[in-house]
Amino acid sequence: MSHNGSTSTTSGRQTKSAVDKFFHISERGSTVGTEVRAGVVTFFAMAYIILLNPLILGTSPDREGTVLGVPQVAAATALVAGVMTIIFGVVAKYPFGIAAGLGLNTLVAVTLVGGAGLTWPEAMGLVVIDGIIIVLLGISGFRTAVFKAIPPSMKSAMSVGIGMFIAMIGFVNGGFVTRVPDAANTTVPVGLGIDGSIASWPTVTFVIGLIICGFAVVRNIRGGLFLGIVATTIIAMIIEAITGVGSSADSGPTGWGLAVPQIPSSFGSIPDLSIVGKVDLIGAFTQLGVVTATLFVFALVLTNFFDAMGTMSGLGRQANLVDEDGNLPNMKSALVVEGFGAVAGGLGSSSSATVYADSSAGIGDGARTGLANVVTGVLFLLAMFLTPLYEIVPIEAASPVLVVVGAMMMAQVRDIEWTKFYIALPAFLTMVTMPFTYSIANGIGVGFIAFTLMAVAAGKIKDIHWIMWLISALFVVYFAMDPILALLA
């Protein structure tokens, strides 16, 4: 009996050691418990995409009158996010969650289907082609070369910009910052709450959550951000039970943004994956012409390429996983796997899946390895069946974590040489363009063009890597896309 017990104990140690060794858990100063908890935090910080992506992709008809459907897009979104997040965690071994990219899904729905008149299968075909190109660029080593060609100051600016961007997402999702309609005849594009006041219970919940999360970080409470989400969710459920606020769809701006914090009437369902695999790889070229379709692929590739690269850089620096040059070890594998996210998203009809800046929430709670990704991915897969996993937690309860982590990422601003204006201006433009335009790729593009021009002005032309020249030129074309398409029409 004692021999059997000893074997079991030894086997347990070996199993634990194997997991630790595979994911480099101890090596990166983490523990299995920390990774599991932080993986849950990342899921709840990202789970809104299961509710939001269907609203963007699932409700509009294409030129043939086909609507993807909200339940179908929700199921496909969770499936792709779950599978790709797990694969990224196992192969790249980093705690970077993957899901449908918000800027990319809007590009697909509004520009490709709504504007260009493509069918959903044709639009998703372009997404798949975009992903294949991204994968090939990763395998060739070009994405890695681009990453290494970026000056250290720009890498720091990208990280800070992403911190500001996710903080802005947190403020907007929490209702703390709202858009002021143009009809208001004001020069102020955004405002505080509703008409300058914190006038809704969901936003009050956000503020309470922000205080709880900030307190947890200041006090160095273990798992503080996770506990902050749990505590804020409980508070939200109590508020909803007392006030009956309801969703914003029913109550307007004073309602909960997406999920209403109450026990759902149903506890699960069989996911409808009928839209998975419905892709037309050549239809867009037939419908739009080769030149126009190619330009759309170019826009997808450039957005996908630099959104992911900037996000990985920012998350890697936040987690202290980069080397002295600001580069991630095992970068090539990470970039190749991330590229497959676009392929998977296109095949799943859920739009291109990419690395999520919201993963910073889990990193802020201690995630350092791919084990956290496995936990996040499993929860995404469960979310296809177990509705309460993402419908109980309102977006206002998860948003405070993004603001707190955004504040953490601001610390990297000290690595920028502000006394040298040819460095300071591009860095500043990178940082502010990301949150102001709600796009990581826009911030990188503006920053790269500015860096190249300012370096020339400073007589530093020899310090500009040829890749920076190339990327700057590509972004000039990218920003002039609408006039170019108009000329071709």
Side-chain angles (χ1 to χ4, degrees):
M1 293 292 290
S2 61
H3 176 72
N4 289 339
S6 174
T7 301
S8 175
T9 304
T10 302
S11 174
R13 285 199 300 268
Q14 288 174 344
T15 301
K16 180 179 179 181
S17 176
V19 172
D20 192 321
K21 183 177 180 181
F22 182 81
F23 287 108
H24 311 293
I25 296 174
S26 299
E27 180 183 329
R28 295 182 184 173
S30 187
T31 65
V32 171
T34 297
E35 296 298 308
V36 171
R37 183 191 67 234
V40 176
V41 170
T42 296
F43 170 76
F44 282 118
M46 293 175 61
Y48 67 87
I49 193 61
I50 309 175
L51 299 171
L52 186 56
N53 202 35
L55 299 180
I56 296 172
L57 297 178
T59 58
S60 302
D62 60 18
R63 74 168 187 270
E64 296 179 351
T66 301
V67 177
L68 293 179
V70 170
Q72 292 83 353
V73 175
T77 300
L79 174 65
V80 172
V83 171
M84 288 310 307
T85 297
I86 291 172
I87 292 175
F88 190 88
V90 171
V91 177
K93 298 181 175 63
Y94 291 124
F96 307 162
I98 292 181
L102 277 177
L104 292 161
N105 59 8
T106 303
L107 178 62
V108 170
V110 176
T111 304
L112 299 186
V113 176
L118 296 180
T119 64
W120 288 109
E122 289 168 351
M124 294 304 170
L126 292 184
V127 173
V128 172
I129 293 171
D130 153 48
I132 292 172
I133 294 172
I134 292 287
V135 169
L136 292 176
L137 290 173
I139 292 174
S140 70
F142 181 72
R143 288 189 85 182
T144 306
V146 171
F147 205 104
K148 292 181 177 178
I150 301 172
S153 63
M154 291 302 293
K155 288 178 180 175
S156 297
M158 285 158 54
S159 299
V160 175
I162 289 169
M164 295 171 66
F165 175 55
I166 65 171
M168 176 65 87
I169 292 174
F171 279 129
V172 172
N173 288 348
F176 194 79
V177 170
T178 54
R179 181 177 179 274
V180 177
D182 296 336
N185 294 318
T186 173
T187 56
V188 181
V190 293
L192 178 70
I194 300 173
D195 296 327
S197 176
I198 307 301
S200 71
W201 282 112
T203 304
V204 170
T205 301
F206 165 79
V207 173
I208 293 172
L210 183 58
I211 294 170
I212 292 173
C213 290
F215 180 88
V217 172
V218 169
R219 301 296 298 178
N220 291 317
I221 296 174
R222 192 175 178 85
L225 297 183
F226 172 74
L227 295 175
I229 291 177
V230 173
T232 308
T233 299
I234 293 172
I235 292 170
M237 294 177 75
I238 294 172
I239 288 175
E240 174 61 23
I242 295 172
T243 64
V245 173
S247 69
S248 57
D250 300 323
S251 307
T254 59
W256 302 98
L258 288 173
V260 177
Q262 59 187 9
I263 303 299
S265 56
S266 63
F267 284 84
S269 61
I270 301 300
D272 183 349
L273 299 173
S274 58
I275 63 174
V276 174
K278 292 190 175 180
V279 176
D280 183 349
L281 293 175
I282 62 173
F285 294 89
T286 303
Q287 175 71 17
L288 302 176
V290 174
V291 175
T292 301
T294 299
L295 282 172
F296 279 130
V297 171
F298 169 77
L300 286 168
V301 169
L302 211 62
T303 303
N304 217 332
F305 190 106
F306 287 101
D307 259 3
M309 183 165 293
T311 302
M312 282 194 198
S313 175
L315 295 177
R317 292 172 75 92
Q318 181 198 356
N320 294 318
L321 297 174
V322 296
D323 59 24
E324 61 275 7
D325 296 319
N327 299 319
L328 281 167
N330 193 32
M331 189 191 311
K332 184 174 181 179
S333 296
L335 292 171
V336 170
V337 175
E338 189 280 331
F340 275 108
V343 178
L347 291 175
S349 296
S350 61
S351 182
S352 177
T354 186
V355 171
Y356 249 54
D358 306 67
S359 305
S360 58
I363 292 173
D365 208 45
R368 294 295 179 271
T369 77
L371 180 58
N373 251 38
V374 172
V375 173
T376 302
V378 168
L379 289 176
F380 267 115
L381 295 179
L382 288 175
M384 290 194 299
F385 302 90
L386 303 177
T387 307
L389 276 175
Y390 63 92
E391 281 199 352
I392 288 178
V393 180
I395 197 168
E396 291 85 357
S399 297
V401 174
L402 300 181
V403 177
V404 169
V405 172
M408 293 177 178
M409 296 180 72
M410 284 297 297
Q412 297 177 50
V413 75
R414 65 176 178 267
D415 298 329
I416 300 169
E417 296 181 84
W418 293 105
T419 55
K420 298 179 179 178
F421 196 70
Y422 80 93
I423 290 176
L425 180 61
F428 173 75
L429 291 174
T430 299
M431 289 160 47
V432 299
T433 302
M434 286 185 188
F436 287 167
T437 67
Y438 242 60
S439 169
I440 293 171
N442 284 350
I444 293 174
V446 169
F448 277 23
I449 294 171
F451 181 88
T452 302
L453 294 176
M454 292 302 101
V456 170
K460 303 287 185 180
I461 192 168
K462 292 183 179 179
D463 296 339
I464 307 172
H465 198 286
W466 69 267
I467 289 180
M468 291 294 291
W469 283 105
L470 173 63
I471 295 170
S472 297
L474 291 175
F475 268 114
V476 169
V477 176
Y478 174 77
F479 290 132
M481 186 67 68
D482 283 347
I484 293 172
L485 288 172
L487 287 173
L488 294 172

